[in-house]
Amino acid sequence: MPEQETTGGGESTLTVLVALGANALIGVLKLVAGVLTGSAAMLAEAAHSVADTATEGLLLTALRRSEKPADRRHPFGYGKERFFWALIAAVGIFVSGAVFAIYEGLSTMLGEGEEQTLIWVAYAVLGGSFLLEGVSWLQAVRQVRNGSRAHDQGFVQFLRETDDPTVKSVFFEDSAALIGLLLALGGIGLHQITGSSFWDGLASLLIGVLLSGVAYVLGATNKGLLIGRQADPRLVYAVRDHLAARPEVEKVVDLLTMTLGTDRVLVCARVDFDDALGAADLERACVEIDDSLRERFPQLDEIFLEPVPRTDERLRARVLDRYGAGITPPPT
């Protein structure tokens, strides 16, 4: 497996800042347009942009706090702060925006509805918003592409497996924003053509459903990272092969990994060393193996090597319970 490059905190910060600026401006424009036109879909989109702006603020907090160095109280560092704040953003902010949009939609569909005025304002704001959101979306796409190339993965696979929740959050958020703008445009247009506010309310309802879906996807991702997800399987097998190739190692008995933060991985390897090694030789071998692993895989943050006999039945049973009998490498 080739060495993986980090996705870069600077690029993540730029992506979030671009999204923050775009969403703040768009939110103000949508709110003004919603008040002037009386469109439920436009008010839902304003709530959408407010949620997005708050999300970017939380993601900036995540980026800053996750870079704090390890200390006595947190010996493994603060990398998981990024996952926590991203989870708060996904569940709290997206859901609040979704609830408002769904409420507005149902109220408009089931009520008498308001007559639309100054419809050209809504169209102008939607067009300008689409351009601004497009700029932010392109920056997010650019970072996803850079990350997928650095990790030797496809675009979709990188989005599914990345341990950087900021780029994933911005990409899904901006994608949802563009779709939401199209829904709002359709609802306002159909309201204008038919004279029925039902379509305006339906667009608002669909925007709420869209936000709920994004909240679920991002929430599930960050939940898994907070619980303690295994590192990229390709990295796990590459570390195993690297250990097995060492002359001091007879067999890699068990290999545990956990994502500590973006491009930060903890490794615990239980290894059956050559019985001919003395105590001093074993200590020297552990130091050399640690150095070689860090040089080959820079994303390894903490490495623990535990000498164990391969014949220990209790340890073997635990490994089999965790992985099963048929452990096969992932496809290359």
Side-chain angles (χ1 to χ4, degrees), residues 43-300:
L43 289 174
E45 273 298 294
H48 184 171
S49 292
V50 170
D52 288 352
T53 303
T55 296
E56 312 310 340
L58 289 174
L59 292 179
L60 284 176
T61 300
L63 288 169
R64 179 176 60 83
R65 294 183 63 86
S66 66
E67 296 300 324
K68 292 171 61 178
D71 54 32
R72 181 179 298 178
R73 294 191 63 188
H74 298 88
F76 294 109
Y78 291 80
K80 288 193 175 185
E81 286 248 20
R82 190 177 295 201
F83 308 150
F84 171 77
W85 290 106
L87 178 65
I88 295 298
V91 176
I93 305 302
F94 270 111
V95 169
S96 64
V99 169
F100 179 83
I102 292 172
Y103 172 79
E104 279 292 316
L106 292 176
S107 297
T108 302
M109 293 170 67
L110 301 176
E112 295 181 0
E114 297 183 14
E115 183 180 352
Q116 287 185 337
T117 58
L118 298 175
I119 196 66
W120 64 268
V121 174
Y123 289 135
V125 169
L126 288 174
S129 298
F130 199 88
L131 292 176
L132 290 172
E133 288 285 6
V135 171
S136 177
W137 183 79
L138 287 174
Q139 169 59 29
V141 170
R142 187 178 300 113
Q143 185 176 357
V144 174
R145 284 177 175 168
N146 290 341
S148 64
R149 283 195 294 266
H151 290 77
D152 193 26
Q153 294 176 318
F155 189 95
V156 175
Q157 183 184 11
F158 176 77
L159 271 179
R160 186 171 59 248
E161 298 180 4
T162 181
D163 56 15
D164 185 356
T166 54
V167 61
K168 186 171 185 175
S169 296
V170 173
F171 175 81
F172 276 96
E173 167 196 302
D174 287 346
S175 298
L178 292 174
I179 296 172
L181 289 169
L182 294 177
L183 290 172
L185 178 64
I188 293 171
L190 287 172
H191 187 176
Q192 183 183 20
I193 293 170
T194 64
S196 172
S197 61
F198 172 86
W199 302 106
D200 196 19
L202 179 61
S204 179
L205 177 63
L206 292 176
I207 290 169
V209 172
L210 176 67
L211 283 174
S212 299
V214 172
Y216 175 80
V217 171
L218 296 180
T221 297
N222 288 289
K223 170 193 163 188
L225 290 168
L226 276 172
I227 291 173
R229 195 177 74 184
Q230 182 193 50
D232 184 336
R234 297 175 305 160
L235 174 63
V236 175
Y237 282 98
V239 169
R240 182 203 62 181
D241 293 343
H242 184 86
L243 288 170
R246 295 285 306 188
E248 309 93 338
V249 173
E250 291 287 341
K251 186 177 181 60
V252 179
V253 179
D254 193 11
L255 186 61
L256 302 171
T257 64
M258 183 171 66
T259 300
L260 294 177
T262 299
D263 292 316
R264 294 179 56 192
V265 175
L266 177 148
V267 172
C268 177
R270 294 184 173 122
V271 179
D272 186 357
F273 285 93
D274 187 343
D275 292 338
L277 294 175
D281 296 327
L282 183 60
E283 292 172 348
R284 191 178 307 108
C286 287
V287 172
E288 292 176 355
I289 290 173
D290 185 287
D291 289 342
S292 67
L293 284 172
R294 292 182 187 278
E295 182 179 357
R296 173 77 188 281
F297 309 104
Q299 63 270 54
L300 299 186

